[in-house]
C-alpha cells in the first residue's frame, strides 16, 4: 500500500472501514488484483465533511456533522443512501460507500458507490427540525450530487419524505424539478412503485433461491429477523406471504419470539399506529433479547439492523442454515470463518440487500425517460436481475472454491477493475 495515501486517512480508520478494507484485501489477494488498482480502490475517490447548522424549535442553533463519500465513479454516477444515526462517522460512511461500489457492479447496475450521513438521532427531532436539517445538509452536499453525478437514496433513519426535501432543495437551486437527483421518493414527485419494499423483496427472492439450492421447503422454514425497520419489516411480511413461519423479530430494545409463527400484519398494525411504540409493547410473543434472537434454532436468520452484529463473540451460537444479510456489513470476517466452518450458507450483504438499489435504478431510469412502469414490471425485473446475480455468484463460488462472500466481492471488484483498466489513468 502506498503509505502516504493510507497514512493520511486516519479519520477513516474505524472498525467498519477496517472490515470493508479487510474484505477487499482478501478478495483482491484471491483474484490477484493489479496492485496499482488495489491502492486506489481501498480509498474513496472523494469525501466531503460538512457542518450543518440547524435552527431548533426553541430558537437555538445546533450544528450537526454530515458526510458524503463517493468511493468510485468509473462505471457511472455514484449511488448510495443517506443515513441519519448518532453513530455515523467518516469511516462508516466510507465503508458503506465501498460496499455500494461492489454491490452495483455485482448486480450489473451502471453505477459506482457512494454513501452519505448525518450524525444525528432523527427520532429526537421534530418534523420541522428534520426538514431544516435535511435541506441544509442537501445544500451543503449540493456541489457533489446530481442525476448524472451522484444519486442519494434512503438508508437507516431516512425515508421517502427526507428524499422529497432533498429533491426540492436541489430543484430550487437549479430552478426546475429534477426528480432523478434522488431515488426512494414519494410517487407524486417521480418515485417508483415497489421501492419501499424492494430491499426486503430482494432478500426474499435470493433466500428462496438458496432454499431451492439446499433443498429446503419454504413451508417448513422458520425465519428470525433482526431489525424491524424498512428492510426487516418488509422481509418478514414478504417471507410470510411466501409461506415461511416468522418465529422472531426485533428492534433495538429487544425481540419477540413465537415458535408457532408471529402474525406480522397484525404486529405491523400495532407497531405503526404509534411511531414510538416498541415491539415489546405489542405483547405479541415471548420477550427475548437481540442476542437470543441471533442464537435461535431457525432455517433463515436475517440480520437487517446495523453492521457488525455477528462477531467472533457470538458466531459460535448462531444455529441457522441460511444467513441472509439484509443489513450492510452485519458479519465480521472472524465470524464469517466460524459460520463457514459450521456450514452456514451465507448470502452476503452486497447480494442479499441489492434489491433496494436495483429498484432505485429502475426509479432513476423512469425519471430520466419520463416513462413509468407497472408494479408487475418492477417485480419481474427485480426478480430477474437478483436471481441471475445469485446464480452467477453461486457458480463463481463453486468454480473458484471461494465462499459466497468472496465470490460476490471478486465479481464486483473485477467489473470495477475492468472499467478502470479500459479508461486508463488520467492525466
Ligand atoms: N441504502 C440502500 C443500500 O444500502 C439503497 C441505496 C440506493 O438505493 O441507492 O443499498
Amino acid at each position: 500500500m502506498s503509505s502516504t495515501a493510507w497514512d493520511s486517512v486516519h479519520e477513516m480508520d474505524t472498525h467498519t472501514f477496517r472490515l470493508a478494507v479487510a474484505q477487499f484485501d482478501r478478495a483482491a489477494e484471491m483474484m490477484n488484483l493489479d496492485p496499482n488498482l488495489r491502492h486506489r480502490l481501498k480509498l474513496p475517490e472523494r469525501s466531503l465533511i460538512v457542518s450543518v447548522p440547524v435552527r431548533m424549535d426553541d430558537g437555538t442553533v445546533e450544528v450537526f456533522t454530515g458526510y458524503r463519500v463517493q468511493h468510485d465513479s468509473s462505471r457511472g454516477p455514484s449511488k448510495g443512501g443517506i443515513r441519519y444515526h448518532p453513530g455515523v462517522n467518516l469511516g462508516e460512511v466510507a465503508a458503506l460507500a465501498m460496499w455500494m461500489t461492489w454491490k452495483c457492479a455485482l448486480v450489473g447496475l451502471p453505477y459506482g458507490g457512494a454513501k452519505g450521513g448525518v450524525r444525528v438521532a432523527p427520532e429526537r427531532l421534530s418534523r420541522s427540525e428534520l426538514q431544516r436539517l435535511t435541506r441544509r445538509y442537501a445544500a451543503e452536499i449540493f456541489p457533489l450530487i446530481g442525476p448524472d453525478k451522484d444519486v442519494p437514496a434512503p438508508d437507516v433513519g431516512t425515508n421517502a419524505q427526507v428524499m422529497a426535501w432533498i429533491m426540492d432543495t436541489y430543484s430550487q437551486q437549479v430552478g426546475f424539478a429534477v426528480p432523478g437527483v434522488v431515488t426512494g421518493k414519494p410517487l407524486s414527485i417521480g418515485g417508483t412503485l415497489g421501492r419501499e419494499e424492494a430491499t426486503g423483496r430482494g432478500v426474499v427472492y435470493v433466500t428462496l433461491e438458496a432454499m431451492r439450492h439446499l433443498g429446503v421447503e419454504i413451508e417448513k422454514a422458520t425465519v428470525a429477523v433482526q431489525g424491524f425497520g424498512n428492510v426487516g419489516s418488509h422481509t418478514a411480511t414478504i417471507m410470510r406471504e411466501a409461506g415461511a413461519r416468522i418465529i422472531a423479530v426485533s428492534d433495538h430494545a429487544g425481540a419477540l419470539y413465537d415458535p408457532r409463527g408471529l402474525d406480522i400484519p397484525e404486529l405491523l398494525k400495532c407497531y405503526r399506529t404509534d411511531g414510538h411504540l416498541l415491539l415489546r409493547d405489542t405483547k405479541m410473543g415471548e420477550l427475548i433479547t437481540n442476542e437470543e434472537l441471533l442464537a435461535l434454532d431457525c432455517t433463515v436468520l436475517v440480520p437487517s439492523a446495523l453492521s457488525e452484529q455477528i462477531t467472533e463473540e457470538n458466531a459460535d451460537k448462531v444455529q441457522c442454515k441460511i444467513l441472509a444479510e439484509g443489513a450492510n456489513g452485519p458479519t465480521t470476517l472472524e465470524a464469517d470463518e466460524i459460520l463457514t466452518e459450521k456450514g452456514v450458507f451465507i448470502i452476503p450483504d452486497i447480494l442479499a440487500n441489492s434489491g433496494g438499489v436495483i429498484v432505485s435504478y429502475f426509479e432513476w431510469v423512469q425519471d430520466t425517460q419520463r416513462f413509468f412502469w407497472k408494479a408487475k414490471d418492477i417485480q419481474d425485473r427485480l426478480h430477474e436481475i437478483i436471481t441471475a446475480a445469485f446464480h452467477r455468484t453461486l457458480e463463481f463460488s463453486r468454480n473458484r472454491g471461494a465462499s459466497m462472500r468472496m465470490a460476490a466481492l471478486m465479481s464486483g471488484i473485477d467489473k470495477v477493475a475492468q472499467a478502470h483498466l479500459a479508461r486508463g489513468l488520467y492525466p
Side-chain angles (χ1 to χ4, degrees), residues 158-425:
T158 58
N159 55 23
Q161 179 59 72
V162 170
M163 294 307 117
W165 290 326
I166 296 177
M167 179 271 188
D168 184 65
T169 304
Y170 185 91
S171 301
Q172 295 298 342
Q173 307 264 336
V174 296
F176 51 92
V178 186
V181 67
V182 288
T183 58
K185 299 176 293 293
L187 276 177
S188 56
I189 51 169
T192 183
L193 295 167
R195 174 61 185 88
E196 204 193 284
E197 61 172 49
T199 312
R201 184 168 289 284
V203 170
V204 175
Y205 286 162
V206 287
T207 304
L208 293 179
E209 292 306 306
M211 285 184 183
R212 222 162 278 148
H213 166 65
L214 299 170
V216 175
E217 284 172 54
I218 180 93
E219 289 74 23
K220 296 199 181 120
T222 53
V223 182
V225 181
Q226 185 203 33
F228 210 56
N230 177 279
V231 181
S233 61
H234 284 108
T235 300
T237 305
I238 301 168
M239 200 74 97
R240 186 171 178 273
E241 284 165 9
R245 192 152 32 102
I246 314 302
I247 59 167
V249 294
S250 73
D251 57 23
H252 63 93
L256 288 179
Y257 171 61
D258 185 344
R260 290 163 307 164
L262 293 159
D263 185 346
I264 301 296
E266 200 47 44
L267 194 58
L268 274 168
K269 236 190 263 162
C270 303
Y271 197 60
R272 284 195 182 142
T273 43
D274 169 358
H276 297 288
L277 199 69
L278 294 168
L279 281 172
R280 64 176 179 222
D281 300 331
T282 64
K283 303 206 164 45
M284 286 182 62
E286 186 191 328
L287 300 183
I288 60 169
T289 64
N290 255 299
E291 272 303 303
E292 286 167 329
L293 177 143
L294 295 176
L296 283 176
D297 186 0
C298 57
T299 318
V300 186
L301 175 63
V302 188
S304 46
L306 296 171
S307 65
E308 294 137 292
Q309 298 297 299
I310 305 175
T311 65
E312 60 186 328
E313 308 291 310
N314 60 8
D316 205 33
K317 300 195 195 100
V318 170
Q319 296 188 62
C320 62
K321 251 196 175 66
I322 299 170
L323 182 74
E325 296 183 336
N328 290 307
T331 311
T332 66
L333 269 186
E334 296 78 18
D336 241 350
E337 265 162 38
I338 301 171
L339 296 178
T340 308
E341 193 102 320
K342 289 173 66 130
V344 176
F345 186 87
I346 300 177
I347 314 174
D349 50 2
I350 58 170
L351 173 61
N353 70 33
S354 64
V357 71
I358 293 172
V359 177
S360 273
Y361 166 63
F362 298 162
E363 179 171 336
W364 178 79
V365 168
Q366 293 171 79
D367 288 339
T368 308
Q369 301 189 333
R370 269 93 170 132
F371 179 73
F372 289 85
W373 310 350
K374 296 192 289 284
K376 185 169 179 317
D377 298 337
I378 288 156
Q379 281 188 20
D380 290 350
R381 287 177 168 151
L382 166 63
H383 185 263
E384 191 183 318
I385 293 180
I386 205 166
T387 53
F390 175 88
H391 289 290
R392 277 200 310 273
T393 309
L394 186 62
E395 201 181 307
F396 194 104
S397 127
R398 281 166 153 179
N399 291 345
R400 299 288 293 263
S403 67
M404 282 291 278
R405 185 179 320 281
M406 283 303 132
L409 285 167
M410 286 194 279
S411 330
I413 294 168
D414 183 54
K415 286 197 192 144
V416 177
Q418 284 179 33
H420 276 267
L421 293 173
R423 286 180 58 162
L425 182 64

Side-chain angles (χ1 to χ4, degrees), residues 37-77:
L37 280 176
R38 207 155 148 175
H39 297 165
R40 159 58 194 88
L41 292 175
K42 249 187 208 193
L43 295 171
E45 188 171 288
R46 189 180 281 133
S47 311
L48 178 68
I49 307 181
V50 295
S51 296
V52 186
V54 180
R55 190 169 303 281
M56 307 306 279
D57 291 344
D58 66 3
T60 59
V61 174
E62 254 188 66
V63 183
F64 298 88
T65 302
Y67 307 90
R68 185 73 188 168
V69 174
Q70 299 169 343
H71 173 260
D72 191 70
S73 63
S74 58
R75 302 175 56 260

